[in-house]
Amino acid sequence: FVQAQEYKPCVLFFDELDALGGSRGRMDSHHDRSLVNQLLLELDGLDSKKDGVFIIGATNTPWYLDSALRRPGRFNHLVFVPPPDEAERLNILELKLAGKPTENLDLAMIAEMTKLFSGADLEMVVQDAVDKAMERTFETGDIHPITQKDLLSALKERKPSTLEWFATAKNYAVFSDENRDYQVVIDYMKRHGIR
């Protein structure tokens, strides 16, 4: 936070914010509670000098954040980042396969078949397909490219990991979302037929 003041304008980005700012009521350790308290003090300390310091946090479990982090002047806005759409999935697949030997791939088809897959899910599909091509390479001693069959076979072994997240988010939105912060998630689920 001191360095942020020295180098402003700047962005402080906290990934996995729930690990640093989880709900103090759910914590067993005094050390963990102290860490959250210190984060709150630092955020409040920036208040008078905050000009030019932007603070962003990311988490897969926003419902576990300490409620004090959501007060005005701290983390003011909750932004839902949905799974990549079809065009984004195609882009991710192209990036993950770049530089690898391939043969006759229809990545548009794979992108269409991977609705609700996260970027990490797509990376695992590609890695599984690479492993299949590598197995053939080891068997024959010749380099075998990644084929559409490899991708389709890998895809059969994977399901979108986002489904579990959506189920948890829905439960939270239905039973605990007093401020309707998660209505955007419910709306997304309805639009995309997620139950």
Side-chain angles (χ1 to χ4, degrees):
F1 285 91
V2 171
Q3 281 186 315
Q5 288 300 312
E6 292 174 9
Y7 294 101
K8 64 184 182 183
C10 72
V11 174
L12 288 179
F13 177 74
F14 294 94
D15 196 12
E16 304 296 344
L17 183 61
D18 53 298
L20 184 62
S23 174
R24 288 170 287 181
R26 300 174 67 120
M27 293 180 178
D28 296 330
S29 161
H30 172 72
H31 172 74
D32 291 338
R33 287 190 297 276
S34 295
L35 193 60
V36 177
N37 290 336
Q38 186 64 40
L39 176 60
L40 294 169
L41 283 171
E42 295 293 346
L43 291 170
D44 290 342
L46 275 180
D47 215 22
S48 59
K49 318 170 251 180
K50 201 181 285 183
D51 222 17
V53 177
F54 302 93
I55 304 169
I56 301 171
T59 178
N60 289 330
T61 55
W63 41 85
Y64 290 143
L65 292 177
D66 195 276
S67 59
L69 284 173
R70 300 288 318 283
R71 290 192 190 133
R74 293 174 179 163
F75 290 94
N76 298 332
H77 303 288
L78 198 62
V79 177
F80 169 59
V81 179
D85 65 22
E86 190 171 328
E88 293 165 337
R89 292 192 304 272
L90 176 58
N91 194 328
I92 291 167
L93 289 165
E94 289 170 346
L95 288 169
K96 295 299 176 185
L97 286 161
K100 295 177 175 59
T102 61
E103 180 179 281
N104 300 327
L105 298 184
D106 183 355
L107 294 182
M109 174 202 269
I110 302 298
E112 184 180 339
M113 295 173 68
T114 51
K115 181 179 177 183
L116 300 177
F117 275 60
S118 69
D121 294 334
L122 293 169
E123 185 170 9
M124 288 310 303
V125 168
V126 168
Q127 187 56 55
D128 291 348
V130 167
D131 291 347
K132 291 174 189 313
M134 291 290 287
E135 285 174 20
R136 289 194 308 277
T137 297
F138 290 142
E139 287 171 6
T140 66
D142 298 321
I143 293 179
H144 284 261
I146 301 158
T147 66
Q148 187 77 359
K149 183 178 177 183
D150 293 328
L151 286 170
L152 290 170
S153 176
L155 190 54
K156 284 181 187 174
E157 299 166 10
R158 298 273 170 195
K159 298 284 183 243
S161 64
T162 60
L163 294 178
E164 184 178 339
W165 185 90
F166 277 114
T168 303
K170 180 180 178 183
N171 284 337
Y172 186 82
V174 169
F175 298 110
S176 302
D177 190 15
E178 294 172 7
N179 296 324
R180 296 177 51 86
D181 290 328
Y182 299 94
Q183 186 59 45
V184 65
V185 176
I186 298 298
D187 294 342
Y188 179 90
M189 291 175 73
K190 286 178 184 172
R191 280 195 315 274
H192 293 275
I194 306 168
R195 296 180 183 194

